Amino acid sequence: MQATFEESTSVIAEKEEQLKKQDEMIKDLVGVKSEIINQLVKTFQDSNLNIEVDKQTGAIRFSGGVFFETKSSEVSASGQKYLEDFIPKYIGILLSDQFRDEIAQIVVEGHTDTEGGYLYNLKLSQDRALSVVQKISSPEFPNFTHRDKLASVITANGRSFSVPILNSKGKIDLEKSRRVEFKFRLKDDEVLEKIQEMVNKNAK
């Protein structure tokens, strides 16, 4: 009986230690993400660029008209100027010495409104995201700090109209839904998600 009690106590202590380590890891990862988001918000809050910074995820949203003409996937001249102003500051934060080792991906996402079919808009959104990445990566694009490291982390995704933006009445805002978003993903994001799932299960 005594042995069984001691074994149970040992198991409980082991689980408590495991939960403590998981909690510390979550705090560290959340801290890194929060610091990146804080720097992005501070850098772009007073910017004259037509963007929104999501303070929860760090995603940066450009309205559709910034980079492209209607139905076009070619970055406009004004869009190029926006990129030339935005990219050095954005990449300067994400690939800085402070955060470079934490970044797994920088994702350029294209989004459309609901006019037209899903596949048409999927291609359009993919083409637009790719055009932005190609423009940034082209030899003609002005040089910026950490440019040599960008190719290893940047990718382009098209989402069609699968993630629309709704207005205050719950209806799709066509203008805001046409957009390009810049997102980042930490190397430990998947680990963090799994740990949070485990913590949630243990809490039930």
Side-chain angles (χ1 to χ4, degrees):
M1 185 73 176
Q2 181 67 24
T4 303
F5 175 76
E6 289 176 353
E7 288 173 2
S8 298
T9 303
S10 176
V11 170
I12 291 172
E14 188 177 326
K15 285 189 175 181
E16 286 179 345
E17 182 63 25
Q18 185 179 7
L19 287 172
K20 183 180 177 181
K21 288 181 180 179
Q22 290 173 351
D23 187 51
E24 290 174 353
M25 186 180 292
I26 289 173
K27 287 179 180 177
D28 288 343
L29 296 176
V30 170
V32 170
K33 192 159 194 171
S34 295
E35 181 58 30
I36 293 174
I37 292 172
N38 287 339
Q39 289 199 26
L40 290 173
V41 171
K42 184 177 179 180
T43 298
F44 295 109
Q45 64 183 354
D46 296 324
S47 170
N48 57 1
L49 294 171
N50 187 14
I51 62 176
E52 295 176 31
V53 182
D54 189 316
K55 295 181 180 179
Q56 299 299 315
T57 67
I60 292 184
R61 179 182 303 146
F62 285 84
S63 64
V66 169
F67 296 133
F68 307 102
E69 301 296 335
T70 304
K71 297 183 180 180
S72 172
S73 60
E74 181 178 348
V75 177
S76 64
S78 59
Q80 163 116 6
K81 290 179 181 178
Y82 270 97
L83 286 174
E84 289 175 3
D85 189 4
F86 169 73
I87 288 298
K89 298 171 185 174
Y90 184 67
I91 300 304
I93 292 172
L94 293 187
L95 297 186
S96 65
D97 292 342
Q98 184 179 1
F99 301 125
R100 184 185 310 150
D101 292 339
E102 307 290 343
I103 300 296
Q105 274 190 334
I106 295 173
V107 184
V108 180
E109 277 190 355
H111 298 261
T112 65
D113 58 30
T114 53
E115 294 179 356
Y118 176 82
L119 291 179
Y120 165 79
N121 281 296
L122 180 61
K123 184 176 186 307
L124 180 60
S125 62
Q126 287 176 333
D127 288 347
R128 285 180 167 179
L130 182 59
S131 287
V132 170
V133 173
Q134 287 174 329
K135 184 65 70 175
I136 297 167
S137 305
S138 70
E140 291 78 23
F141 194 85
N143 198 23
F144 53 91
T145 306
H146 310 307
R147 180 175 188 158
D148 57 323
K149 301 175 181 66
L150 188 58
S152 64
V153 292
I154 196 164
T155 187
N157 292 340
R159 303 297 301 276
S160 189
F161 48 66
S162 61
V163 192
I165 292 178
L166 307 180
N167 60 26
S168 58
K169 297 180 180 178
K171 295 185 178 181
I172 295 176
D173 187 319
L174 297 180
E175 178 62 30
K176 287 191 174 182
S177 293
R178 295 190 291 268
R179 67 198 190 276
V180 172
E181 294 189 3
F182 285 78
K183 299 180 175 181
F184 66 89
R185 188 169 180 81
L186 299 180
K187 290 179 179 176
D188 292 323
D189 270 354
E190 292 182 4
V191 176
L192 176 58
E193 289 167 6
K194 288 178 181 178
I195 290 175
Q196 287 177 326
E197 286 177 9
M198 291 170 61
V199 171
N200 291 336
K201 285 181 181 178
N202 289 331
K204 292 179 180 179

